[in-house]
Amino acid sequence: METDINNRSFKNVSSLVDRLKIPFLLYIGPRELKSSKFTLKNFITKEQYQEISLKDVVKNIKQYKKNNN
C-alpha cells in the first residue's frame, strides 16, 4: 500500500501508480471524506468507479484478489 501526501494531481498520481504496477488507486479527498463516497480505479482492467461506498471498494478489491489468486 502506498500513500501520497504530496498534494499531487489525480493525473500525476495515476501515472505513478501505473508505472509502479499497483493494481488499484483509491482517491480520498475532503469531498470523499465528507460524503463517504470514493473513487476507485483498477489499473489492470482500466475500470474506474466513482462515488462508491467503502463497502463497494472492499468488494471490488476482494473480487479482484479472488480472481487473480
Side-chain angles (χ1 to χ4, degrees), residues 4 10 16-17 27-28 39 46 55 60-62 66:
D4 181 32
F10 189 78
L16 177 64
V17 167
Y27 183 78
I28 305 172
T39 298
K46 304 300 182 197
K55 181 179 179 179
N60 275 283
I61 294 171
K62 282 184 175 181
K66 180 180 174 185

Side-chain angles (χ1 to χ4, degrees), residues 18-63:
D18 199 28
R19 226 178 18 254
L20 294 175
K21 305 292 186 215
I22 298 171
F24 289 96
L25 170 63
L26 176 62
Y27 183 78
I28 305 172
R31 182 177 33 184
E32 289 77 15
L33 289 173
K34 185 175 182 179
S35 69
S36 296
K37 298 291 182 178
F38 305 94
T39 298
L40 178 69
K41 183 168 182 179
N42 181 325
F43 279 84
I44 306 302
T45 65
K46 304 300 182 197
E47 293 177 286
Q48 183 166 310
Y49 308 95
Q50 295 182 311
E51 296 193 15
I52 64 171
S53 68
L54 189 55
K55 181 179 179 179
D56 287 335
V57 168
V58 172
K59 181 179 165 186
N60 275 283
I61 294 171
K62 282 184 175 181
Q63 185 64 43

